Amino acid sequence: MLAEAVTAAAAAGGIAVVEGAASAAGTQAWESFRTRVAGWFGRGSGNAELERVTLERLDRTAAELDGADEAGQTRQADRWEDRFVDVLEAAPEELRAELAQQLKKFSDELRAELNSGGGTTITSSGAGSLIATDKVDVKGSGSGSTAAVINNTNNYYGSTTGPAPANPPAPEPGQA
């Protein structure tokens, strides 16, 4: 059972590093996570210098993930999972379960923060259009109208004056 907990915690940690570095680098959520992970490495290994090295590795990971494809993300998650397993396996047996629980907790907390909208990035991509990496609420005020069309996921949200249609119309040629 302990081996399964160690493996699960290491896998969750690897995925959390990639998700956080790819979508939340530079945010408070990422800064908190990377600081906690670095402290975790130092505690698990008994080597305070490893905290500094871990922070540098996390920063390099974030830089390498900028624009990385799925294969690159998977490689990074696997690398971090291996690093977490190494620390967990080397830790004294009486500390191993606690370290695994901490790592899982850090990972779950980062994921919850990212899913709560903490990782949203919105970028203007031209007149009247936006690109968002997470959930976006569209609200209007005053006498103007507000609408949103999400072309890449087949979701459609109509104007703020009524609910979205059950079967949204297909985009006009050139809109998609």
Side-chain angles (χ1 to χ4, degrees):
M1 181 69 177
L2 183 59
E4 289 177 16
V6 166
T7 303
I15 292 168
V17 167
V18 169
E19 288 178 346
S23 64
T27 67
Q28 182 58 43
W30 172 247
E31 292 304 314
S32 175
F33 177 77
R34 69 187 276 282
T35 300
R36 293 169 77 188
V37 166
W40 182 91
F41 269 91
R43 179 172 181 225
S45 68
N47 181 349
E49 176 65 12
L50 191 52
E51 289 184 42
R52 185 189 62 74
V53 171
T54 300
L55 288 170
E56 290 174 1
R57 284 181 173 160
L58 288 164
D59 292 342
R60 280 195 311 268
T61 297
E64 290 172 15
L65 286 170
D66 187 26
D69 61 7
E70 188 175 334
Q73 292 176 355
T74 300
R75 277 191 303 277
Q76 284 293 341
D78 290 345
R79 286 181 189 148
W80 280 98
E81 180 179 348
D82 289 344
R83 288 179 180 131
F84 291 129
V85 165
D86 289 345
V87 171
L88 288 166
E89 287 180 345
E93 190 171 335
E94 64 275 6
L95 184 58
R96 194 174 299 145
E98 182 183 342
L99 287 170
Q101 288 173 335
Q102 285 177 345
L103 180 57
K104 180 86 168 74
K105 180 182 176 190
F106 300 162
S107 302
D108 290 346
E109 288 173 353
L110 177 64
R111 185 166 288 118
E113 179 73 21
L114 294 176
N115 289 335
S116 73
T120 301
T121 302
I122 299 176
T123 307
S124 173
S125 62
S129 61
L130 299 173
I131 298 172
T133 62
D134 203 346
K135 175 183 161 191
V136 175
D137 292 325
V138 178
K139 297 177 182 177
S141 64
S143 61
S145 63
T146 304
V149 176
I150 302 174
N151 292 322
N152 66 340
T153 61
N154 297 322
N155 292 326
Y156 174 84
Y157 301 92
S159 71
T160 57
T161 60
N167 293 310
E172 296 294 322
Q175 277 188 321

